[in-house]
Each structure stands twice: as structure tokens, then as C-alpha cells.
Amino acid sequence: MKQQMSESRQKWNNILFTILTFLTFITAHAQLLEPVKWTSKIEKKSATNYILHFDATIEKDWHVYSQFTPDGGPLPMEFDFKNSKGNYKLVGKAVESKYKSQYNEVFEVNEYYFDLKAHIQQEISVINPNLKTVEVVLDYQVCKTSCINGNEKFTFAIPAQAQTEAVATPATPETITDTAQTAVAPEVKPQPEITTTSTIGEPKTPEQKPAESKGLLTIFFLAFLGGFAALLTPCVFPMIPLTVSFFTKQSGTRSKGIANALFYAFSIIFIYVALGLAVTGIFGAEALNQLSTSVIFNIVFFVILVFFAISFLGAFEIVLPQSWANKVDQQAGKSGLIAIFFMALALAIVSFSCTGPIVGTLLVESASKGGIAPIVGMLGFSSAIALPFMLFALFPSWLNSLPKSGGWMNTVKVCLGFLELALAFKFLSNADLVLQLHLLEREVFIAIWIAIFGTWAMYLLGKITLAHDGPLGYISTGRLLMGVLVLTFTIYLIPGIWGAPLKLISAFPPPMEYSESPLGLGGETAAIAELPEGAKSGPHSLVVFDDYEKGLAYAKSVNKPIMLDFTGFACVNCRKMENNVWSNAAILPILRDEVVLISLYVDDKRLLPESEQTVTKDGDEIETIGDKWTEFMISKYQTNTQPLYVLIDLEGNNLNTVKPTISYVSVSEYESWLKQGLANFKK
């Protein structure tokens, strides 16, 4: 009897243990967030062409980033078509449904993202008539207060007459089923949708403005300043009194003269805005954004701006064909409003040697923003050109207060040339950053700017003269003050070579990490005379390992606990934690002195050695360093979000029992979590 009771008790214990184990498993894996559900289908367009459809349903408050999100920001969506044998070819680029846009202040780029729904479609043309299936791998990033790097595999069966529909999941692409229904794609428009959303993962405050509007207002303001600078050049400035006098004297009455002058000014605006429309129309708003993130076009922009700069510095003049000016002059010689319009067009053509480089630079810069930015840029530029003609037509007596033409106008051109030359290197830096060539690192970039602005200062102070400069008997007060300002800025740049942050120009040079001496020369560098083997300098000059085994070995040698930092190069909330929490006076000493920091980048696209490339039991391919750390994070900590912080001892055990991991939190919560883990390590 006792034996039967013992066996019965053992049986129930086994059942209870199984239930508890199952509940523990379910609880642990509940942390594996899947905020995006993907479905797919294939549509037969013709005998050889098919359209692949990808549809995403996104949980509220989560955002999936578009394939057009610029480099340097969150990870864009990427499609990998497994077509090594050339069985088919892609027809154009994948087309997306409407996405939203907002400025990301951390990465300093406009990020494009979807919320709630996303639809992408890609047309293919089949070359091999025996092709049965098309395999596609999609990499994407989805963020809220944390980020997840997603990887989906799709298998499309090439249909004969019917359509094929599939529901794609990471581990079971074979769930594709056939259906006799015809697939109908929803309307797809690649244009961005301008929204008033706030920073991802944070509530919107009344002070925040729509990022797209903010960006366009900045472009308008800069273009307006460019137009004002063009006014002061020798090609445009002398035309103001001549043109206004012509309208006021030749129009019969003052009111008609004012009306004609105003029409002339609006014609100038129309001509330049039409140029912006043409650029946007020819390339397309979406194509402009793609061009801005292209290495080739960044290099082309660099060459164009250097060409414009050399022209302004007096090496040569950029002029349009004389025949164009002659034909326009013939029309301008007639009467009526049409003649006035052609007078405005003649001004644009004749003054091109002065305005062309400025217009070209504005178009290049606004094109890098994409959308309608070229139109807004030309509106700002032309408004500045046209405004004086309006004002002086309304108040002719103001003409007497205009300064006389002279050599100062050539000085304005030269100054613009120096500015263009400095701006050009921003585009070359973009290309270098994307390619990771390290040819134009931070120190080199700043040294080039010091040389440019230093030479400019010497020019303004009369130490250098150029070909078109007349004899300089003395330096005017305005030129002297300008020279002092440029010289001051030059001196301000010099400490940047030794690691100064240079916050005034933070958007222009490469980041601190992209330099020969990320720690700078002197200062904190002396505190880290020699980095441990396998370590590098991280945020705030912290010693960071990016390999788990090397970091663990070092931690054992110094007997310190380990803080694992699961992060990503394109994780905006990771950067926010580093900038706003790690930098705190209560946190930074702990990270520097009391723990060994190991940062594991889950979006590192560098390939692992072939000997380390594996396939998980779920069929996921571990090919890159990022794949390795993602799999480690999921298998060890049952979560897939970043940022993720874990405090462990030298045996890999969690030091925080109540909350083993922590993510995007406040300074106080982060500090409390760190101190609890450290206290447990010292027991």
C-alpha cells in the first residue's frame, strides 16, 4: 500500500514538474516580441512577368523602416533575392506604399517608416522557363522604445494559371498554399507622407513641430540667404537700379511702373521655381532621396561643388550659350507682360556666371533631402532675388541708399567660393563613411576646413589677392570684421584635431568614432595608456569589448562583473541611452571602473568565417556577426530587443534576480539596477 502511494505521489510530482516546466518555457519565450506579421502572394502579370507582394501588419506604436531610409539612420528594409543562377531578373526597384517621415535628431537624418500597415511589391521577369520557386529573404528593423532586427523568409511558387498565396514565417516558409483567386495589389505610391508624429517611442510634446516642415523651412531659409548673397555679386547687383528705373520711367505712370516691376519680380520667382519643379519632375521625389544616399552621387556632388567653387574663385566663368541670351533679348525688346517675363528670363541667363554655382549648390543640397525640397529651395532663392525689385519699385527713393558697385562685389563671389569648397567635402565625407575607407577621417576633414577657412581669413585681411581683384589700398571696416569672424572660426576648429567636440559644426565632420584617435590626444587618453587586447574605445571613452569571449577573459583577469550591452549601429534608443544615461555623473564612473563592458552589435553585417557559419534548429542561417549575437541573445535571454543590458558574473550567471535584464529606462532606474547587481557580485 505504501509503495502504491509512493508511486502515485511520484507520478503527480512528475506531472506537476512537467506543468511547471511548460509554464516556465511559455513565460520565458513570451518575451520574444513579434510586433510584425508578414503575408505574401504572387500575381501573374504576363507570360513571363510576375509581381511579388509583401504585406506587413504592424502592432500599434511600432514602426518598420522603409528601404529608402538614408544611410546613417535606422536600418532600412533590405530584400535579398536568392537568384545566383540568374533564373529571373528584377524589373525596377521594390515599390512601397505610403510611409511617414520625421527628422531623427540622434542620427541627424530624415527617417522613413511604416506604422500599422505596409505593402511592398517587386516585379520580376522569369528567364528560365523551368523555374518553380522564388526565394526571398527580407531584413528589416522595427522599433518602439526598443528595436528588433527582423528576418523573414519567403518562398513563392511560380503559378501556371492560378495565383499563389503564402503566409511567411521565419521557420516555416513551406506554409505556402495555392489558391485560385487573382491577387489584386493595393494602390502603391512611393511618395512620402508628411506627418506630425513625434520621436519614435516617446510621447509628443506641444513644442515639437513636424520634422518634414522643419526641414523644408530650414532649406527655404538657407536658400533665401543664398539668394541674398547672389544679389551682392557683380552680375546681379548693378541690375537693380537699372531695371527699377526702366520700369518707373518707361511705364507712363507710377502705378503702372510698380505693377510692371512686381510682375517682373514674380516672373523671376516663377522661372527659378520652375527649375526646381523640373529637377523634381525629371528625377522624381523618391529618386532624389535615393541619389542622396548613393556613394556615386555623393562623389559627383563633391566634384560639381568643387567645380563651382573654383569658378567663384576666379579661375573661369560658367556661362550659358550666347545664342540663348540673344533669342531671349529679342523677345524682351517687345512690349507687354510677355516682354517683361523675357526680361526676367534674360536676367537669369546673363547672371548665370554668378547665380549658377549658388543655384547648383542649392539644388544639390536640397536634392539630398528628397521630396519637394528642390522646389522649396528655388522658392527661397528666387524670393531673395525678386524682393529688392518689389521694394525699390514701391519706394524708388531707396535707390539713393544703395552702395555703389565696385570691387567689393568680387569679394562676395570669392567668399562664396570658399564656402562652396568647404561644403563640397561634406559630400566626399558621406561617401567615405558609407564605404568605410577611412580616407577622410575626422582629423583630416577638420584639417581641410582649417586650411580653407584660414586661407579665406588671409584673403579678407588682404594677405592674398586673386585674379579679378583690383588694387587694395586699404581694408574696409566691414571686410576687416568679416576677416576677424572667419579667423575666429578657424581658431575654433583647431582643437577639433585633438578631439574637441566642435558642437557648432557637429552635423558636418565625421563622428568622433570615425577618427585616427577616437579618444583624442591628451586628456582621457592618458588614463587609458594601452587598451586591453580585443578592446576599443567606446562612448564617453569607455573601454568596450565587441567579442564575448575576449571580454569574458579580461573580466576574469581583473575580477570584475560583466555588463552585456546588446546594441545596434542603427539603434536610435541605444544611442539615446548612451548619450543621456551613460553620460550621467552617477552612471559613468560605474561603467568605467566597476564593470567590464561588452557591446554586441546585432546588426553587424560582417560575415563570420565559414567555419563559424551555422544553421539553427529552426532553420535560421547564422552567417554574420550580427546573426551570431542575435541568436546568443535569444537563446540565452529569450528576448530579441535592443537595447538590452545584462549584468553577469564570471560564470555567466545573472546578477540581478528580480529584473535580470533591463532596456530603455530612466537614469534612476538604471542606477538602481546597476548597484543591485554589483552588490550581488560582491557577496
Side-chain angles (χ1 to χ4, degrees):
M1 185 71 176
K2 290 183 179 180
Q3 183 178 357
Q4 290 179 347
M5 292 179 63
S6 177
E7 290 177 354
S8 177
R9 187 181 298 110
Q10 182 64 36
K11 180 179 179 180
W12 281 108
N13 285 341
N14 290 338
I15 293 173
L16 181 60
F17 177 78
T18 302
I19 293 173
L20 289 174
T21 302
F22 177 75
L23 291 175
T24 302
F25 177 83
I26 293 298
T27 303
H29 283 75
Q31 297 182 62
L32 287 177
L33 300 179
E34 295 185 47
V36 185
K37 302 295 184 183
W38 288 93
T39 60
S40 64
K41 58 190 174 186
I42 184 168
E43 172 190 0
K44 187 172 183 179
K45 183 178 181 181
S46 66
T48 58
N49 283 32
Y50 300 86
I51 298 178
L52 310 180
H53 297 271
F54 307 85
D55 288 279
T57 301
I58 309 165
E59 290 185 10
K60 186 179 179 182
D61 298 328
W62 287 86
H63 301 117
V64 174
Y65 294 99
S66 160
Q67 61 185 323
F68 302 120
T69 288
D71 291 335
L75 280 183
M77 191 183 298
E78 292 184 359
F79 291 90
D80 180 12
F81 293 86
K82 302 298 184 179
N83 188 30
S84 58
K85 296 182 179 180
N87 291 317
Y88 59 91
K89 63 180 181 180
L90 304 182
V91 181
K93 191 173 178 68
V95 181
E96 299 179 349
S97 56
K98 283 186 177 180
Y99 51 65
K100 297 183 178 181
S101 173
Q102 72 176 31
Y103 184 73
N104 188 312
E105 295 183 354
V106 175
F107 291 128
E108 297 181 336
V109 298
N110 280 326
E111 58 186 20
Y112 307 135
Y113 64 90
F114 304 97
D115 60 2
L116 300 181
K117 296 285 186 181
H119 176 80
I120 305 95
Q121 62 187 48
Q122 173 68 63
E123 183 176 350
I124 65 170
S125 179
V126 175
I127 299 172
N128 180 5
N130 298 319
L131 180 66
K132 301 298 182 183
T133 60
V134 173
E135 294 186 358
V136 184
V137 176
L138 169 62
D139 289 317
Y140 65 95
Q141 187 175 68
V142 55
C143 291
K144 187 181 175 183
T145 53
S146 57
C147 293
I148 300 171
N149 295 333
N151 178 275
E152 301 286 342
K153 297 178 181 178
F154 302 87
T155 301
F156 297 90
I158 300 297
Q161 299 297 328
Q163 308 303 316
T164 304
E165 187 167 336
V167 176
T169 61
T172 57
E174 63 274 6
T175 55
I176 297 175
T177 57
D178 292 336
T179 175
Q181 297 179 353
T182 302
V184 179
E187 181 183 11
V188 178
K189 296 181 180 179
Q191 291 81 10
E193 178 182 341
I194 300 174
T195 67
T196 58
T197 53
S198 61
T199 303
I200 293 178
E202 294 183 358
K204 182 176 179 181
T205 60
E207 293 77 18
Q208 289 175 309
K209 297 181 180 180
E212 193 77 9
S213 300
K214 180 180 178 181
L216 292 177
L217 285 174
T218 301
I219 290 172
F220 179 88
F221 177 72
L222 294 176
F224 187 87
L225 291 179
F228 182 74
L231 273 175
L232 304 179
T233 60
C235 309
V236 182
F237 187 80
M239 299 295 293
I240 298 175
L242 292 175
T243 305
V244 173
S245 297
F246 172 81
F247 286 127
T248 54
K249 293 179 181 179
Q250 302 297 325
S251 300
T253 63
R254 183 172 183 272
S255 60
K256 187 176 180 180
I258 292 174
N260 289 341
L262 292 177
F263 182 77
Y264 177 79
F266 283 116
S267 297
I268 293 173
I269 295 175
F270 175 82
I271 290 167
Y272 283 103
V273 171
L275 178 60
L277 280 168
V279 170
T280 305
I282 291 172
F283 292 99
E286 203 61 60
L288 285 173
N289 178 69
Q290 294 179 47
L291 295 183
S292 71
T293 61
S294 164
V295 172
I296 294 176
F297 278 89
N298 269 286
I299 293 174
V300 170
F301 291 164
F302 165 73
V303 173
I304 290 174
L305 292 190
V306 170
F307 179 76
F308 288 157
I310 293 174
S311 171
F312 265 160
L313 293 174
F316 52 82
E317 289 190 350
I318 304 172
V319 294
L320 295 176
Q322 185 61 37
S323 59
W324 293 15
N326 294 336
K327 290 180 180 179
V328 170
D329 281 340
Q330 292 175 5
Q331 299 297 323
K334 300 177 182 179
S335 59
L337 295 180
I338 294 179
I340 296 174
F341 174 80
F342 277 99
M343 285 181 65
L345 183 58
L347 172 68
I349 293 174
V350 172
S351 65
F352 188 79
S353 61
C354 293
T355 60
I358 301 175
V359 169
T361 303
L362 290 173
L363 286 175
V364 166
E365 181 63 23
S366 58
S368 69
K369 308 300 180 186
I372 62 171
I375 301 172
V376 174
M378 289 300 94
L379 178 63
F381 177 83
S382 58
S383 298
I385 294 285
L387 188 60
F389 294 96
M390 295 183 185
L391 293 177
F392 287 117
L394 292 172
F395 308 101
S397 60
W398 287 8
L399 288 172
N400 298 325
S401 63
L402 278 179
K404 294 182 179 180
S405 301
W408 62 269
M409 291 185 294
N410 185 69
T411 302
V412 172
K413 279 186 64 176
V414 172
C415 291
L416 292 173
F418 281 114
L419 279 176
E420 295 233 14
L421 190 59
L423 181 61
F425 282 92
K426 171 59 178 173
F427 291 95
L428 186 61
S429 173
N430 289 343
D432 183 64
L433 279 167
V434 172
L435 294 175
Q436 290 289 296
L437 296 177
H438 288 268
L439 297 177
L440 195 61
E441 293 180 321
R442 184 178 177 88
E443 293 91 343
V444 178
F445 183 96
I446 294 173
I448 291 172
W449 268 38
I450 291 172
I452 292 172
F453 284 95
T455 305
W456 184 7
M458 288 190 287
Y459 171 80
L460 289 171
L461 296 176
K463 302 300 181 182
I464 297 174
T465 56
L466 298 176
H468 296 288
D469 290 322
L472 186 63
Y474 65 94
I475 298 176
S476 65
T477 304
R479 181 166 176 164
L480 177 63
L481 293 176
M482 185 67 180
V484 170
L485 179 63
V486 175
L487 182 60
T488 301
F489 181 72
T490 305
I491 297 172
Y492 168 79
L493 292 175
I494 293 174
I497 296 181
W498 287 274
L502 302 181
K503 293 183 179 180
L504 288 179
I505 60 165
S506 59
F508 286 92
M512 292 290 292
E513 295 81 10
Y514 196 77
S515 61
E516 295 178 8
S517 304
L519 292 175
L521 301 178
E524 294 185 5
T525 307
I528 310 176
E530 185 177 349
L531 289 171
E533 182 180 357
K536 64 180 183 180
S537 174
H540 315 296
S541 302
L542 292 170
V543 176
V544 179
F545 291 86
D546 59 7
D547 183 273
Y548 179 80
E549 297 299 332
K550 293 179 180 178
L552 177 60
Y554 178 74
K556 290 180 177 180
S557 69
V558 296
N559 193 33
K560 289 183 179 180
I562 296 168
M563 191 182 84
L564 294 180
D565 164 33
F566 290 97
T567 183
F569 295 113
C571 173
V572 62
N573 287 326
C574 302
R575 300 293 86 76
K576 288 181 179 179
M577 286 293 292
E578 292 165 6
N579 295 339
N580 303 326
V581 177
W582 286 16
S583 62
N584 186 272
I587 305 297
L588 190 57
I590 297 176
L591 299 181
R592 179 184 294 122
D593 303 324
E594 299 187 48
V595 301
V596 172
L597 180 58
I598 303 178
S599 294
L600 305 176
Y601 289 84
V602 300
D603 57 359
D604 192 330
K605 298 299 183 182
R606 291 177 295 170
L607 290 175
L608 289 166
E610 289 189 10
S611 59
E612 297 183 27
Q613 295 183 16
T614 60
V615 178
T616 67
K617 61 181 180 180
D618 293 329
D620 295 327
E621 297 177 349
I622 308 300
E623 297 179 335
T624 67
I625 294 175
D627 293 339
K628 176 182 177 181
W629 301 134
T630 300
E631 174 61 22
F632 175 57
M633 175 176 57
I634 293 174
S635 61
K636 181 75 173 177
Y637 301 106
Q638 288 77 49
T639 187
N640 55 350
T641 63
Q642 305 89 47
L644 184 74
Y645 307 106
V646 190
L647 269 177
I648 61 175
D649 61 19
L650 301 180
E651 303 301 323
N653 302 312
N654 291 341
L655 290 173
N656 296 79
T657 53
V658 177
K659 187 178 287 188
T661 65
I662 202 168
S663 184
Y664 188 70
V665 296
S666 65
V667 171
S668 58
E669 186 175 351
Y670 199 75
E671 180 185 6
S672 175
W673 178 81
L674 282 174
K675 288 183 176 179
Q676 181 190 22
L678 291 173
N680 291 335
F681 179 79
K682 294 174 182 178
K683 288 181 180 179

